[in-house]
Amino acid sequence: MPIGATIGTVVAGVGSSLIGANAADKAAKEQAKAAAGAQKTQLEMYRQTREDLSPFRDVGTEGAYSLADMFGFKTPKNPDGSTPFAQQGWENFQKTPYYQVPYKEGIDAIDNSAAARGNLLSSGNLKNLSTYAGNFASKQFGSYMDRLYQLAGMGGNAAATTGNAALSTGRGVADSQMAAGEARASGIVGSANA
């Protein structure tokens, strides 16, 4: 084989190797860029999930704190704790429309009935009002506590869903990072082989 042909073959081989190395490097960079984009998308979706669930977690937290206050446990708003069924917890219960509206309607009905019979200020009417108020508060308080448990549960579910989203996002980001690393490694190996 003449020297010119040998030199031409060597130059073509080197050129081909350089082209192959360059292509492997470009491919690895594109794969790494795609993996970084996937990570960004996953993190954006996780942040949106956290934002979407935040109101439910917040309401659940307040429900849990209200329950804790009712039982005298320490909370951020009550750092020293208090006796069970603290005054503030009772007052919060009495301020709810859940308590106020039916309580007022019941009292009005008893008063209207007594007024119709001419007994509005009688001791019998006052006794009826007292009995109604005590029974009403007891019955409604149990329902109020059930509602607080439901709110706390809603917050717990939202927190668990947020946690699952965090784990899923973490796995996805880790997978994308591994893919980026493998792409870079593949590019290095491809360049070396070329």
Side-chain angles (χ1 to χ4, degrees), residues 102-179:
Y103 181 77
K104 182 181 179 328
E105 292 296 318
I107 295 294
D108 287 350
I110 292 169
D111 280 345
N112 289 340
S113 175
R117 292 186 317 259
N119 296 327
L120 183 59
L121 299 176
S122 70
S123 61
N125 186 51
L126 295 177
K127 182 179 177 186
N128 288 341
L129 290 172
S130 176
T131 300
Y132 171 80
N135 290 339
F136 177 82
S138 176
K139 179 180 172 188
Q140 291 301 98
F141 185 74
S143 295
Y144 174 71
M145 294 295 283
D146 288 343
R147 300 297 183 267
L148 290 177
Y149 282 116
Q150 289 172 351
L151 291 174
M154 178 179 66
N157 289 338
T161 301
T162 301
N164 288 335
L167 289 173
S168 177
T169 300
R171 276 190 226 107
V173 168
D175 289 346
S176 295
Q177 290 170 338
M178 288 298 292

